[in-house]
Amino acid sequence: MSNRPVVSEMDSRRRGSGRSMIALYSTLVCGITLLIAYMNKARCAGGAVDESGRSLIFDSIKDSNVCYSDIQYLWLGRGIDEHLFPYITGGITPDGQLTGGAVEYPVLSGLFMWIGGLGSHTDADFLLHSALLMAPFALLTAYLLARMAGPSALLWAAGPPLVLYAFHNWELPVVATAVAAFYVVTVLTKYSLRDRAIAAAVFLAIGFCFKLYPGLFVLPLLIYVLLGESPLRERRFDVRGALMVAATAIGTVVAINLPFALAGYDGWRASITFQQLRQADITTNSIWYWGLRPLYANTRGGEAAFQDMVSVASPVLVVVSFALACWLGWRRYQLAGVYPWIGVSGAMLCGFLEFHKVHSPQYTLWLIPFLVLLEVPWGLIVTYLMADACIGIGVFRYFYALGAGNNAAFEQNIVQIGVWGRAALLVVFFFLFVAARPRSLGRLGVAGAEGLALGPVSADRHVAPPARTAA
């Protein structure tokens, strides 16, 4: 009697145990990193407060000590200190100022802001409560990434971006939803592709209601379902499955947003209007401000012409980048027999980050899961993190120098190194992501649906071409 099935089962158990241990370690390390991240931001909070609950030290050290966070800053101005339920009241003025309980983020982020404000009497309370509310999402992300990519997940769990940005804004829940969608599709392969994709669409739609960007990934997921993951000779286009994925995503977004829109349309609509009115300026860290603005006159007319150009060029180039990413994914499908929906999603995100008029420092957290899941050279990753640090640290030192009336030439150069370094590497990642293989393939456990569809894998991790029927 052959013992091959027994060996296979034992090997599978060992791999499963190894993945579980790595996931546990990654989660524990992430917890330590989150504590450091909170302590970093908490340097700006606490001590004496004014009548509004604002820490007196915040304005004096937020830039010089690089401990600024949007969480602490937005304790005032969004009704959080008054415990107003978001969106139901308020609106936006013609010049873009939010009033009442209106918030500039999608409804689930606004809801989290409100929950974090409950029981808070100062901005320090709000920062702590928000950190406690969001930390589990970072831990879940670390766990899921480790289950999919093994030790590479430490890039998320222990990387500088988590220290700098974990509690800078409300990014952790949205990243968790995107990673959960990847996990469902690539790991839970005992379920049909259609069922996995529908579940993933729910996660991506929930993410859309936090910070929009996971909604971009529904398109490559839809294409992946349409093309299927069976051998090429057995493929049938799953049109119904693709439509179900789209309908699920749309239905989830509508179900989450509709109650807010009905209860207070003006307040709900204000978040969209705020983003439409936002301009590319010195606070947005975009290539538009640093690359295009110097070409226009330093006058009111020049500023208006610049903003008009950005309002047209930015969305057009973003859409073009999306189309290019999907087309490159199609080319990869024809070559390898699988549509790389995670790689295409990452490329679309690169296009968005490259050309959007706002590129806030904490958006790096959106990108990290792709650097974990896809085989990208570590040298490029380290270089990107260095460029990102030039922004995440340098931009606040730059604001401090400007505010203090000091010569800010050095700080400005650091910021520009960060802006252009990130921009150049985003172009590189755009093309690398689409062709990249999953890091987990042939290593820790199940390669996932995307890896399996590539075909047989040799010991040196080369993929054999798909089998072809005889003529």
Side-chain angles (χ1 to χ4, degrees), residues 193-208:
L193 173 59
R194 183 185 292 182
D195 289 343
R196 284 178 278 136
I198 289 174
V202 173
F203 282 116
L204 294 177
I206 293 173
F208 179 87

Side-chain angles (χ1 to χ4, degrees), residues 123-164:
D123 58 357
D125 294 339
F126 182 48
L127 177 64
L128 174 61
H129 296 171
S130 297
L132 293 173
L133 184 65
M134 292 191 293
F137 293 95
L139 297 174
L140 176 62
T141 300
Y143 178 83
L144 295 180
L145 288 174
R147 295 289 296 184
M148 288 186 283
S152 300
L154 290 174
L155 176 62
W156 166 267
L162 198 62
V163 174
L164 291 172

Side-chain angles (χ1 to χ4, degrees), residues 52-392:
S52 67
R54 168 73 78 207
S55 298
L56 295 181
I57 62 172
F58 178 71
D59 287 328
S60 61
I61 70 170
K62 61 182 175 63
D63 293 330
S64 62
N65 289 21
V66 194
C67 55
Y68 169 88
S69 73
D70 290 335
I71 295 175
Q72 189 177 355
Y73 177 76
L74 292 178
W75 163 251
L76 301 177
R78 301 297 183 269
I80 295 171
D81 59 318
E82 305 173 54
H83 310 297
L84 294 178
F85 193 82
Y87 308 102
I88 305 304
T89 60
I92 189 169
T93 63
D95 62 349
Q97 297 297 315
L98 294 169
T99 62
V103 176
E104 61 263 47
Y105 305 118
V107 294
L108 291 185
S109 286
L111 190 61
F112 265 54
M113 294 169 69
W114 174 73
I115 294 173
L118 294 178
S120 300
H121 303 288
T122 67
D123 58 357
D125 294 339
F126 182 48
L127 177 64
L128 174 61
H129 296 171
S130 297
L132 293 173
L133 184 65
M134 292 191 293
F137 293 95
L139 297 174
L140 176 62
T141 300
Y143 178 83
L144 295 180
L145 288 174
R147 295 289 296 184
M148 288 186 283
S152 300
L154 290 174
L155 176 62
W156 166 267
L162 198 62
V163 174
L164 291 172
Y165 312 127
F167 306 119
H168 186 93
N169 199 284
W170 291 266
E171 310 302 330
L172 298 181
V174 65
V175 175
T177 61
V179 171
F182 301 152
Y183 181 86
V184 167
V185 175
T186 60
V187 175
L188 304 184
T189 52
K190 64 180 180 179
Y191 302 101
S192 70
L193 173 59
R194 183 185 292 182
D195 289 343
R196 284 178 278 136
I198 289 174
V202 173
F203 282 116
L204 294 177
I206 293 173
F208 179 87
C209 296
F210 274 110
K211 283 294 181 76
L212 299 186
Y213 86 90
L216 305 176
F217 308 156
V218 173
L219 177 58
L221 175 61
L222 184 154
I223 298 173
Y224 182 53
V225 173
L226 177 66
L227 299 177
E229 57 187 9
S230 303
L232 288 176
R233 62 182 181 275
E234 301 175 5
R235 293 236 174 132
R236 297 291 186 275
F237 289 135
D238 187 5
V239 177
R240 182 179 180 183
L243 292 176
M244 290 175 67
V245 168
T248 298
I250 295 172
T252 303
V253 171
V254 171
I256 293 173
N257 280 271
L258 189 59
F260 291 90
L262 292 177
Y265 179 80
D266 289 340
W268 173 80
R269 183 66 176 80
S271 65
I272 302 173
T273 304
F274 181 92
Q275 298 300 335
Q276 291 173 332
L277 294 177
R278 190 170 183 184
Q279 298 185 335
D281 56 30
I282 196 172
T283 68
T284 59
N285 309 296
S286 69
I287 60 173
W288 299 107
Y289 177 80
W290 291 105
L292 191 62
R293 182 63 185 88
L295 303 180
Y296 289 81
N298 192 22
T299 62
R300 181 175 298 180
E303 176 66 15
F306 165 67
Q307 297 296 342
D308 289 342
M309 171 62 73
V310 173
S311 66
V312 174
S314 174
V316 168
L317 289 176
V318 167
V319 171
V320 169
S321 72
F322 291 171
L324 177 59
C326 291
W327 179 78
L328 290 173
W330 172 257
R331 293 289 301 272
R332 179 66 177 170
Y333 164 75
Q334 293 179 314
L335 176 66
V338 61
Y339 189 82
W341 82 277
I342 293 180
V344 171
S345 297
M348 292 174 70
L349 178 60
C350 288
F352 177 83
L353 296 177
E354 186 80 23
F355 296 118
H356 190 49
K357 59 185 176 181
V358 178
H359 192 159
S360 296
Q362 72 271 12
Y363 292 175
T364 298
L365 293 177
W366 303 359
L367 189 67
I368 294 297
F370 294 100
L371 301 178
V372 171
L373 294 174
L374 301 173
E375 285 194 343
V376 178
W378 285 105
L380 293 178
I381 294 175
V382 171
T383 304
Y384 186 87
L385 295 182
M386 293 173 63
D388 176 70
C390 289
I391 292 291

